[in-house]
Amino acid sequence: MHSLFRLPVARRRKHTSVVLAGLALLLLTAVLPRAEAQQKLLRISAIPDQKPETLNRLYPLLANELSRSLGVQVKYVPVTDYTAAVSAFRRGDLDLVWFGALTGVQARLQKPGAKVIAQRDIDVSFQSFFIANTASGIKPLRNQKGLTALKGKRFTFGSESSTSGRLMPQFYLAEAGVRLGHFAGGAPGFSNSHDATIALVQSGAYQAGVVNEEVWQSRLSSGKTDPKKVIVIWRTPGYANYHWLAQPNLDQRFGKGFTARIESTFVKMRASNPRQAQILDLFGAKRFIPAPQRQYDAIEKVGREIGKIR
Amino acid sequence: MTTTAWSWRPAAPLLPLLPALALLPLLLVLPGLVHGGGWDLVAQFAAAAMTPSLNPLLLRTAIAGLGITVGIALLGWALSLALGLVGGVLSSRIVWRTCLGVAWPAGAIRRFLAVPRSIHELLWGLLLLQLLGLKPAVAMLAIAIPYAALVARVVSDLLDALPTAPLQALRSSGAPAGAALLTALGPALLPGAFSYGGYRLECALRSATLLGVFGLGGLGTELRLSLQSLQFHELWTGLWLLLAVMLSLEALLRALRHRWGMPSRFKLTTAGVGRSGRELLLALLGLLPVLVLVAVALEISPAQLLAWQPLPPLQANWPAVLALPWAALAATTLGLTLLAACLAVGVAPLLLLLVAPWPWGRLLLRAVWAMGRLWPPPLTALLLLFVLKPGVITAALALAFHNLGVLGRLLLEACEDTADQPGSGGAEVALSCSGCGPRLALLYGRFSGLARSYLAYGAYRADVILRETVVVGLVGAAGLGSLLLEALSSFAVDELIALIAVYALLTLLGEDLSDRVRQRLLSG
């Protein structure tokens, strides 16, 4: 039995080396032309913060539109994790990314020279809404100081690095003297999405939470949220949020003025054009506008205070 | 050890039920945890199972995602087996003793391999993402590295548990060390190693899905998108597809194991390789071109694995890192692990006993356990939060349900496998023929034989659960896991390094403990 067992092993080694050699060749030929083609391929991505189920629809449309306007191949790369998207941008695996304010700053700090391209009209002054379960007894707050009513309550943020679902709310909480350790259980929850935050506060798992205004309004008007069970208790002041961020080297790779052409493609989108209307609608925007980089200085400062930016 | 010293011990068949004692305190605190406000959401989720979305675009993305997930699982698994076999031989005491006459290098290598093993594949994924970029190769390696270390541990355990008589006979008749080892241990090792290897493929499928849930592509990514927006109909489209693949894979592996006469997974020792060795090698050879095709389809190439980029600069603030409440975090994590492990290990045999009298009971359990394996723990955690308050216990329940799905199926399979083998199912039949009820017959006839190996396997599983605590940060206050997700999203490299060290330390201690428990169980 032993010899029976060993013979095929010996034979297999020869076979494997032949197969492996063939393989190596095959892989080489498969890889080389692709590396060249990559030069002219614009890879775009986005961190889904709302309506993620429409991304499948949204990004092929956008990729087509960009491709038509810029004259290069555009590929949408799906990424669902904030950390993964920032890392991929630092690595240069993504050329143009739709970031939240905080993740955009994180990405810019890790990739100096990256350019802020454009934002939506609503991103200039974005708001977060603190919400509460009606059974929790928390009443709408008169002012920011009222946030102390959340001490000792079960409270959830959205994603760890969401600007509207975590960063700015935590900043306003801290200003009112509420630290993360003050919540019931000694820590807040992280629901990972605005929809989950609303569902968890409505169910009562968490007595209060915080969501971005856009998702709240949309869920309220679609009837997904029950206004008898969950109410808005406080609205934050406005802050700058989502924006498109581009790699610093796009002009070198795609030709002079390429970055500026991306910006003008976005800024020139109009609802009168049916294709562009679809894109604007899916982004929840009336139009895109230029985004001055300095409006994120405040975000960076808050990020450092809270420890999300090191 | 004398008999009197052991007289306090419960009878063998009761052993697997002991961890279920954790249910008692749990039942006491559970009513206080229920808020019950989200039953309508749970009902929506359940109802959506019957009406998954059949949108062609969604179906197409889900199927493409499933292809990526399966491909990643297959490649990661194959690589982990190859590396794990090498690592296993290198960390086997008997191999070192035979070749060099000393056994300590085996222990040292084994300890060293605990480090890659102690890091969850999700963490490997996010770390490798920094080095290699956003590619399917990252997910493949993220599975291959910790799995290889796990396989190495099991292979070395298998090797060291093999009877040494044939080896000694060969050595004393003058055979050189290498040849003697290969001849005496190689064939004997194969069945156990392949049985375990097949099981790792099932695990790899679950891991590949989970990696996707955390952003590394494939079907998991689709699941996460649907979960985030609570689109339960779309979620079920992906879940049903995944279930179909998961169950087919399990059935296929089971059929192969039967065909090739391999032991169930709990057995750590076994007899010879049988006449199927040639067939097995042919199957392995057939697998190679498949792997190549998958690699080409996923655009994974060896060149990618070498294209490293430097990590972001390390800005360390060690005093701040040291000031974190490590003891409390570790205690929470260990408590979470222990509770989840006890529930998963203890409840599986308990449920089997409960449903023993009813023929449909096992079918029902099978279905529930399949869901446990199918649902990524973050999904289970979210469902639990719809009706329970957040906290360590809710997190433990989510982890326990997932692992119950894994353990329950293994236990049921082991019960049925022993029933298939002539002569070994006799005790249960004899008991029921002599008038015992089905529960007692199962308890004394079947569990007594499986008790020790099942618990020994449960000890392995506890290590897995410790690492999985990373994925239930959703429910808040979940110890090291929550801190880890926070550190990752802040790019706090110093905290990450410290956390990985703590996880490695806990895993080392846990493995040491579970080694002792296992040796005691298997020898006792």
Side-chain angles (χ1 to χ4, degrees):
Chain A
M1 196 186 87
H2 291 153
S3 60
L4 255 183
F5 170 66
R6 285 172 68 183
L7 266 176
V9 170
R11 270 196 221 121
R12 186 169 62 135
R13 280 205 189 114
K14 272 184 201 149
H15 282 292
T16 2
S17 58
V18 173
V19 171
L20 278 179
L23 255 190
L25 274 177
L26 208 121
L27 284 175
L28 268 181
T29 48
V31 166
L32 287 177
R34 198 166 283 128
E36 204 166 308
Q38 226 164 37
Q39 300 282 314
K40 288 292 173 195
L41 177 69
L42 186 77
R43 292 150 304 171
I44 63 171
S45 189
I47 300 171
D49 205 18
Q50 60 214 306
K51 291 187 276 185
E53 76 281 6
T54 56
L55 279 181
N56 290 337
R57 227 151 37 95
L58 174 57
Y59 288 97
L61 273 178
L62 179 67
N64 283 341
E65 187 65 22
L66 285 177
S67 183
R68 196 189 311 254
S69 159
L70 299 168
V72 297
Q73 233 193 316
V74 180
K75 183 187 177 194
Y76 167 63
V77 183
V79 184
T80 52
D81 190 78
Y82 282 104
T83 314
V86 173
S87 299
F89 189 83
R90 178 182 71 83
R91 288 248 337 161
D93 293 332
L94 298 172
D95 298 318
L96 181 64
V97 182
W98 180 241
F99 277 122
L102 171 63
T103 42
V105 173
Q106 284 179 334
R108 246 185 318 124
L109 289 172
Q110 295 192 21
K111 190 82 180 192
K115 295 191 174 63
V116 179
I117 297 282
Q119 61 187 339
R120 299 172 302 180
D121 45 358
I122 51 172
D123 291 316
V124 181
S125 180
F126 207 87
Q127 281 181 297
S128 303
F129 291 178
F130 281 83
I131 57 173
N133 186 298
T134 42
S136 70
I138 306 170
K139 296 275 175 284
L141 315 174
R142 276 175 206 285
N143 52 36
Q144 192 184 345
K145 284 269 170 284
L147 287 172
T148 45
L150 297 176
K151 284 187 184 177
K153 304 288 184 197
R154 298 189 301 275
F155 182 88
T156 185
F157 288 118
S159 268
E160 276 94 351
S161 48
S162 164
T163 306
S164 56
R166 195 266 167 94
L167 181 81
M168 294 314 288
Q170 185 177 339
F171 171 70
Y172 292 119
L173 281 166
E175 276 196 340
V178 183
R179 288 197 314 275
L180 300 191
H182 285 145
F183 295 122
F190 287 98
S191 73
N192 276 324
S193 78
H194 299 290
D195 279 303
T197 300
I198 297 175
L200 290 174
V201 173
Q202 180 168 321
S203 75
Y206 289 100
Q207 292 160 304
V210 62
V211 291
N212 94 27
E213 53 162 318
E214 212 190 338
V215 177
W216 172 262
Q217 302 290 11
S218 130
R219 297 306 174 266
L220 201 62
S221 59
S222 70
K224 274 196 164 179
T225 305
D226 184 349
K228 286 200 198 73
K229 290 185 182 159
V230 53
I231 51 166
V232 173
I233 54 169
W234 190 62
R235 294 156 200 238
T236 65
Y239 49 85
N241 202 353
Y242 298 90
H243 54 276
W244 286 104
L245 190 68
Q247 287 284 345
N249 65 351
L250 293 188
D251 286 6
Q252 284 104 293
R253 278 170 52 209
F254 293 91
K256 222 168 168 227
F258 189 80
T259 315
R261 279 170 60 210
I262 298 181
E263 175 165 339
S264 79
T265 302
F266 277 111
V267 172
K268 282 183 185 155
M269 284 191 190
R270 287 296 177 272
S272 50
N273 175 322
R275 283 195 321 267
Q276 298 174 352
Q278 258 187 310
I279 293 172
L280 288 170
D281 184 45
L282 285 166
F283 267 90
K286 288 202 180 62
R287 53 183 295 191
F288 285 99
I289 56 175
Q293 195 157 307
R294 62 176 183 285
Q295 68 183 348
Y296 306 102
D297 292 351
I299 297 284
E300 182 175 342
K301 188 168 159 279
V302 170
R304 287 192 192 281
E305 274 172 34
I306 282 171
K308 296 309 290 178
I309 293 175
R310 307 281 165 123
Chain B
M1 214 144 292
T2 61
T3 1
T4 44
W6 286 98
S7 56
W8 57 271
R9 286 212 320 187
L14 294 177
L15 273 177
L17 296 174
L18 275 184
L21 286 176
L23 276 175
L24 294 178
L26 184 71
L27 290 178
L28 282 179
V29 293
L30 209 52
L33 277 181
V34 177
H35 63 76
W39 282 114
D40 53 331
L41 284 165
V42 176
Q44 276 174 30
F45 173 78
M50 297 301 117
T51 52
S53 164
L54 296 175
N55 175 318
L57 184 66
L58 183 86
L59 264 177
R60 222 176 309 139
T61 8
I63 289 170
L66 185 63
I68 295 175
T69 298
V70 172
I72 286 172
L74 202 62
L75 289 175
W77 165 78
L79 192 59
S80 77
L81 277 197
L83 295 174
L85 267 176
V86 175
V89 169
L90 284 180
S91 52
S92 152
R93 282 191 293 275
I94 185 105
V95 169
W96 281 97
R97 208 175 290 133
T98 312
C99 292
L100 293 180
V102 288
W104 65 263
I109 295 177
R110 198 185 153 96
R111 290 271 172 269
F112 171 75
L113 284 178
V115 177
R117 195 162 53 217
S118 67
I119 301 173
H120 193 266
E121 50 266 26
L122 173 60
L123 266 178
W124 275 114
L126 294 170
L127 291 176
L128 288 168
L129 179 75
Q130 301 287 331
L131 288 172
L132 295 171
L134 199 61
K135 302 185 179 73
V138 165
M140 176 193 78
L141 278 185
I143 291 176
I145 293 171
Y147 275 34
L150 262 172
V151 171
R153 179 183 179 195
V154 172
V155 166
S156 68
D157 280 350
L158 283 169
L159 275 173
D160 289 338
L162 289 175
T164 51
L167 181 65
Q168 280 158 2
L170 280 167
R171 286 294 277 153
S172 53
S173 64
L181 278 170
L182 190 62
T183 316
L185 302 185
L189 171 71
L190 268 189
F194 276 103
S195 170
Y196 182 72
Y199 165 64
R200 293 315 301 172
L201 183 55
E202 299 169 17
C203 298
L205 183 64
R206 287 193 290 271
S207 291
T209 310
L210 188 72
L211 284 171
V213 172
F214 281 85
L216 288 170
L219 183 65
T221 301
E222 307 298 322
L223 292 180
R224 168 176 170 141
L225 288 178
S226 308
L227 183 63
Q228 278 186 338
S229 51
L230 308 180
Q231 300 290 323
F232 295 140
H233 300 279
E234 299 179 1
L235 186 64
W236 272 106
T237 308
L239 287 177
W240 284 124
L241 285 172
L242 185 61
L243 183 73
V245 169
M246 191 184 87
L247 293 181
S248 327
L249 178 70
E250 288 172 3
L252 173 74
L253 288 171
R254 190 170 181 204
L256 287 179
R257 219 173 44 245
H258 276 256
R259 183 173 173 81
W260 292 334
M262 285 163 185
S264 81
R265 275 158 215 138
F266 299 145
K267 290 283 163 57
L268 288 177
T269 52
T270 183
V273 68
R275 60 191 146 66
S276 318
R278 190 182 287 266
E279 208 175 294
L280 210 150
L281 285 174
L282 277 176
L284 273 186
L285 272 184
L287 195 62
L288 275 177
V290 174
L291 291 174
V292 173
L293 286 177
V294 171
V296 170
L298 290 179
E299 301 182 12
I300 290 177
S301 71
Q304 284 177 345
L305 303 184
L306 299 175
W308 286 30
Q309 273 221 345
L311 287 168
L314 172 65
Q315 295 163 319
N317 181 359
W318 294 114
V321 171
L322 279 178
L324 287 167
W326 292 106
L329 288 168
T332 311
T333 307
L334 286 180
L336 173 62
T337 307
L338 201 65
L339 181 58
C342 282
L343 288 176
V345 173
V347 169
L350 189 67
L351 284 178
L352 265 185
L353 277 186
L354 282 178
V355 304
W358 308 295
W360 46 264
R362 278 192 182 183
L363 275 179
L364 183 73
L365 276 189
R366 247 183 236 282
V368 173
W369 288 343
M371 288 306 146
R373 296 194 299 285
L374 176 70
W375 296 347
L379 166 60
T380 311
L382 185 69
L383 288 175
L384 284 173
L385 275 181
F386 287 155
V387 290
L388 295 179
K389 291 176 191 166
V392 173
I393 292 178
T394 311
L397 285 174
L399 283 179
F401 183 60
H402 184 66
N403 286 285
L404 175 65
V406 177
L407 277 167
R409 172 171 151 269
L410 293 185
L411 180 65
L412 189 57
E413 208 170 71
C415 284
E416 287 170 359
D417 282 356
T418 49
D420 293 345
Q421 286 159 15
S424 59
E428 189 182 356
V429 180
L431 280 166
S432 41
C433 286
S434 58
C436 263
R439 286 189 181 123
L440 277 182
L442 179 65
L443 182 63
Y444 285 95
R446 194 76 74 209
F447 284 179
S448 47
L450 292 170
R452 287 168 195 288
S453 47
Y454 174 72
L455 276 185
Y457 185 79
Y460 273 131
R461 203 69 209 169
D463 294 350
V464 177
I465 294 176
L466 173 64
R467 286 187 291 277
E468 277 182 349
T469 53
V470 178
V471 303
V472 288
L474 167 69
V475 295
L480 296 167
S482 297
L483 183 63
L484 190 69
L485 293 179
E486 185 78 303
L488 276 169
S489 67
S490 311
F491 299 91
V493 182
D494 46 358
E495 274 177 31
L496 273 180
I497 293 172
L499 273 164
I500 288 172
V502 171
Y503 263 108
L505 190 70
L506 289 180
T507 303
L508 277 175
L509 291 175
E511 280 190 0
D512 194 55
L513 194 69
S514 82
D515 268 359
R516 284 162 203 257
V517 172
R518 209 167 48 83
Q519 270 163 15
R520 207 164 181 185
L521 283 167
L522 293 178
S523 65

